[in-house]
Amino acid sequence: MFDEDNFNENGELNNLNKDEENKIKSEIGNNETKSEKEEEPSRKLVMPGELLNEGNYKAGIGTYIADKKIYAATLGLLEIKGQYVNVIPIKGPYIPKVGDSVIGMVINTSIVSWKVDIFSPYIATLHATNYLNRPFNPLRDDIRQYIDIGDTIYAEIISFNRTRDPVLSVRNKGLGKLKGGRLIHMVPTKVPRLIGRRGSMINLIKDYTHCKFKIGQNGVIWLQGNKFEDEFLVVKIIRKIEREAHTLGLTDRIKEFIEKEKKRSDVDNGVN
Amino acid sequence: MELIKLEKPEKLIDENNIRVDGRKLNDLRPIKMEVGVLPKANGSAYVEMGGNKILASVYGPREVHPRHLAESNKAVFRCLYRMATFSVDERKSPAPSRRENELSMVIGQALEPAIFLNYYPKTMIECTILVIQADGGTRCASINAASLALADAGIAMRGLVSAVAIGKADGKLIVDLNNVEDQFGEGDLPIAILYPLKEVSLIQFDGILTNEEFQQCINLAYDACEIIFNKQIEALHKRYSKEIIEKDNKKEA
């Protein structure tokens, strides 16, 4: 809910309680804890300002309360989860969240840090000490010999609020500078669908294309495959997911799509 | 829709209560709305209201330039209203005029209460409105277009804003003035209403009305805005509904 005075002390929108936040997180696809449901809930397209109040529900993400009624705050898909009414936005900017993994491009250097464009309204900072894991002396060391302008990094947001731009960290496993591969941009709000329930979608794509993936919650995907054809197929798949993100049974349809495409490319190769 | 030549007609409303362009007193002009017309903008909309042709685009939330204008607790909302040189009968000078600057401000203030600016601190949301053809009531049409573009950009909003001008000509109250009625009528009252709370976010007035007439005007505006609001919702549904996506798939296959 986007209530006016609803900021917590960190300056973030206090829209959820802890449990709910964890729930959403798992839905967003940090693919660890999620009880598998038999059927996906049906999704309805709602407009900003649409009345959602049906029974005794609580206002979840993407909603607001006025006159004790719940309204949608964005153009998105209605989702009822337990007590909460949520609206998953169809479009929209990436708003950084602490704990998110993002892919960014270094756009500037200062003496002891890098400025990273994370394709969001805010520019992130990565400190040299964090990257090098040791004290950094700018008198002896040149920051650009480690990461230069134009390089791509995969990092985690460790702090962000309304008084401070996001700060990145590369300390965790799998994070750091990205070499080679290919970057694809997609709508950030659709990244959860690319991952799927417990990573079902991304695992499916990995099985078929044998590509390595790094997924940024900001809608940037890095991938590296053995063959150009594989990478190209992934691009096609991602575009398809983006288009059909709000439809039901997407994973099955993607599976069909991949098999069809594979067959076609096999035939092409045979002819050649 | 053909434009009526701008010259003073004998009567703006004839004895059968038919207006210069053949409408009844409470009729709106034909409306056409399209969402997502500019792929490079974050959100965009094209609106035709009678002879008005308006293109609105929204960029952002993005970084504020110059940086010192950024506000730490909310986004900066900027609105830019411009008329094309060919949008009116006599060529309009391309330099921003006083009227354009004023309308930019007025439209911005009408839309601002609809946006949850505090959700995007230290950013800027920019809305550019281009009038391709003008036929009276461009500010109302611009507000309709801009609120569609904002919704298309996925920005958190309380709801859509719909606007319409109510006026008076030949002693009778009329809805959705065209250029001739605007120029030679007796009053012009543009109203913007913020849905779903039905709050008035813009009201301007020029002319003479009695107290009673003013109240009637407000009621007429609520009725007319309801129609426009429904059209806006329809346009957004058309852009994002599942049928469209299914059609796309068929084309591919």
Side-chain angles (χ1 to χ4, degrees):
Chain A
M1 66 187 113
F2 299 93
D3 260 337
E4 237 84 85
D5 305 314
N6 221 3
F7 288 97
N8 62 20
E9 71 247 38
N10 294 327
E12 289 149 354
L13 262 184
N14 194 6
N15 43 19
L16 302 165
N17 59 30
K18 263 272 159 65
D19 295 340
E20 187 58 17
E21 202 160 329
N22 290 336
K23 236 183 185 177
I24 303 280
K25 234 184 191 173
S26 64
E27 207 258 345
I28 281 174
N30 288 3
N31 50 27
E32 285 143 16
T33 51
K34 176 79 201 173
S35 64
E36 216 158 331
K37 275 182 197 168
E38 282 171 18
E39 228 180 289
E40 288 182 54
S42 71
R43 285 152 184 260
K44 186 190 157 212
L45 186 68
V46 291
M47 300 298 149
E50 197 166 319
L51 184 66
L52 306 175
N53 203 19
E54 294 153 5
N56 286 325
Y57 286 111
K58 287 180 182 169
I61 51 169
T63 62
Y64 70 97
I65 298 177
D67 296 339
K68 293 182 182 170
K69 286 176 188 158
I70 304 172
Y71 296 96
T74 50
L75 183 93
L77 297 159
L78 179 67
E79 186 196 64
I80 294 170
K81 265 204 169 169
Q83 282 186 306
Y84 286 88
V85 193
N86 299 327
V87 175
I88 314 293
I90 285 186
K91 255 172 132 179
Y94 172 69
I95 303 294
K97 221 170 93 208
V98 174
D100 275 0
S101 305
V102 294
I103 294 175
M105 209 172 268
V106 176
I107 50 167
N108 205 353
T109 57
S110 72
I111 295 169
V112 291
S113 68
W114 293 278
K115 289 277 174 240
V116 186
D117 182 7
I118 53 166
F119 307 97
S120 144
Y122 311 96
I123 287 185
T125 312
L126 174 66
H127 292 292
T129 48
N130 184 290
Y131 179 75
L132 298 170
N133 206 0
R134 61 171 165 81
F136 177 76
N137 185 352
L139 289 177
R140 261 184 284 128
D141 247 347
D142 177 17
I143 195 164
R144 287 179 69 167
Q145 81 186 68
Y146 302 105
I147 304 177
D148 204 350
I149 292 167
D151 286 346
T152 311
I153 59 163
Y154 187 45
E156 190 186 312
I157 294 169
I158 50 168
S159 109
F160 171 68
N161 60 40
R162 65 175 153 164
T163 57
R164 216 169 164 202
D165 277 346
V167 179
L168 301 175
S169 165
V170 289
R171 286 287 176 83
N172 274 350
K173 207 184 155 199
L175 305 177
K177 193 166 147 184
L178 297 174
K179 283 169 198 155
R182 181 181 293 274
L183 287 181
I184 299 164
H185 291 252
M186 68 186 288
V187 180
T189 54
K190 287 171 183 170
V191 171
R193 293 315 300 268
L194 174 65
I195 296 163
R197 280 233 157 75
R198 282 176 155 183
S200 59
M201 181 76 86
I202 196 70
N203 287 335
L204 176 83
I205 300 171
K206 275 180 191 165
D207 285 349
Y208 274 94
T209 60
H210 313 292
C211 284
K212 275 188 260 170
F213 282 91
K214 298 226 189 275
I215 299 177
Q217 295 291 333
N218 58 342
V220 189
I221 291 116
W222 176 90
L223 66 101
Q224 194 169 36
N226 301 326
K227 281 186 295 182
F228 167 77
E229 285 79 10
D230 290 342
E231 291 178 349
F232 187 62
L233 178 58
V234 173
V235 177
K236 272 187 178 171
I237 295 164
I238 287 174
R239 293 287 168 252
K240 191 176 169 69
I241 292 170
E242 217 174 1
R243 268 199 313 275
E244 301 174 21
H246 58 286
T247 53
L248 298 174
L250 187 58
T251 315
D252 294 338
R253 234 158 337 113
I254 291 295
K255 196 173 175 180
E256 258 172 53
F257 176 75
I258 297 174
E259 273 166 4
K260 208 173 86 189
E261 289 287 321
K262 278 262 170 190
K263 225 179 242 171
R264 203 161 78 185
S265 70
D266 286 349
V267 170
D268 285 354
N269 290 340
V271 170
N272 291 335
Chain B
M1 169 125 189
E2 270 184 39
L3 296 182
I4 296 158
K5 214 180 166 196
L6 186 64
E7 54 186 9
K8 190 165 184 180
E10 259 180 51
K11 272 181 185 172
L12 283 166
I13 298 169
D14 73 4
E15 50 285 347
N16 299 326
N17 280 347
I18 301 292
R19 288 150 70 177
V20 279
D21 51 3
R23 278 184 291 162
K24 288 177 195 156
L25 295 182
N26 292 356
D27 280 358
L28 290 165
R29 289 175 283 183
I31 297 173
K32 187 184 148 193
M33 288 176 177
E34 210 175 317
V35 180
V37 287
L38 303 175
K40 287 226 168 177
N42 294 107
S44 60
Y46 174 68
V47 168
E48 280 181 23
M49 277 178 87
N52 288 317
K53 294 185 177 174
I54 316 270
L55 192 59
S57 56
V58 168
Y59 293 86
R62 61 183 179 187
E63 252 186 291
V64 191
H65 283 293
R67 280 207 83 119
H68 66 89
L69 292 177
E71 294 195 41
S72 59
N73 56 350
K74 68 182 183 84
V76 179
F77 180 58
R78 268 203 206 153
C79 200
L80 196 81
Y81 167 97
R82 285 281 179 275
M83 285 173 100
T85 49
F86 49 82
S87 63
V88 277
D89 289 345
E90 234 165 75
R91 180 178 182 275
K92 192 215 147 279
S93 152
S97 65
R98 186 204 60 83
R99 181 178 169 277
E100 282 170 317
N101 289 335
E102 185 190 314
L103 279 184
S104 302
M105 186 201 77
V106 161
I107 293 167
Q109 287 179 353
L111 293 168
E112 217 178 274
I115 310 169
F116 285 102
L117 290 176
N118 56 1
Y119 192 53
Y120 308 108
K122 295 202 285 182
T123 62
M124 175 162 71
I125 301 168
E126 261 185 315
C127 178
T128 9
I129 298 158
L130 178 67
V131 178
I132 298 166
Q133 187 173 284
D135 183 28
T138 49
R139 78 192 65 192
C140 295
S142 300
I143 288 171
N144 293 334
S147 86
L148 275 180
L150 282 167
D152 182 39
I155 289 168
M157 294 166 85
R158 284 184 183 81
L160 297 174
V161 187
S162 311
V164 76
I166 311 292
K168 191 180 167 188
D170 293 352
K172 283 168 183 156
L173 297 183
I174 48 175
V175 174
D176 195 15
L177 313 188
N178 62 28
N179 202 14
V180 180
E181 289 163 340
D182 191 15
Q183 298 280 327
F184 305 110
E186 293 149 39
D188 176 23
L189 180 81
I191 298 179
I193 292 166
L194 165 55
Y195 286 86
L197 308 173
K198 299 201 174 177
E199 285 165 351
V200 174
S201 74
L202 164 84
I203 188 159
Q204 289 185 301
F205 180 51
D206 166 31
I208 298 168
L209 287 179
T210 66
N211 229 337
E212 253 170 48
E213 280 173 337
F214 187 79
Q215 196 53 52
Q216 276 175 14
C217 278
I218 304 276
N219 292 338
L220 284 173
Y222 269 99
D223 292 345
C225 280
E226 191 83 43
I227 298 170
I228 295 170
F229 174 68
N230 288 334
K231 293 240 177 191
Q232 284 175 310
I233 293 286
E234 201 184 296
L236 282 171
H237 264 290
K238 205 176 158 193
R239 170 75 178 80
Y240 286 106
S241 65
K242 288 173 190 173
E243 287 90 63
I244 298 263
I245 287 155
E246 276 163 18
K247 258 183 215 162
D248 282 353
N249 288 342
K250 270 178 200 162
K251 257 183 225 164
E252 268 174 42

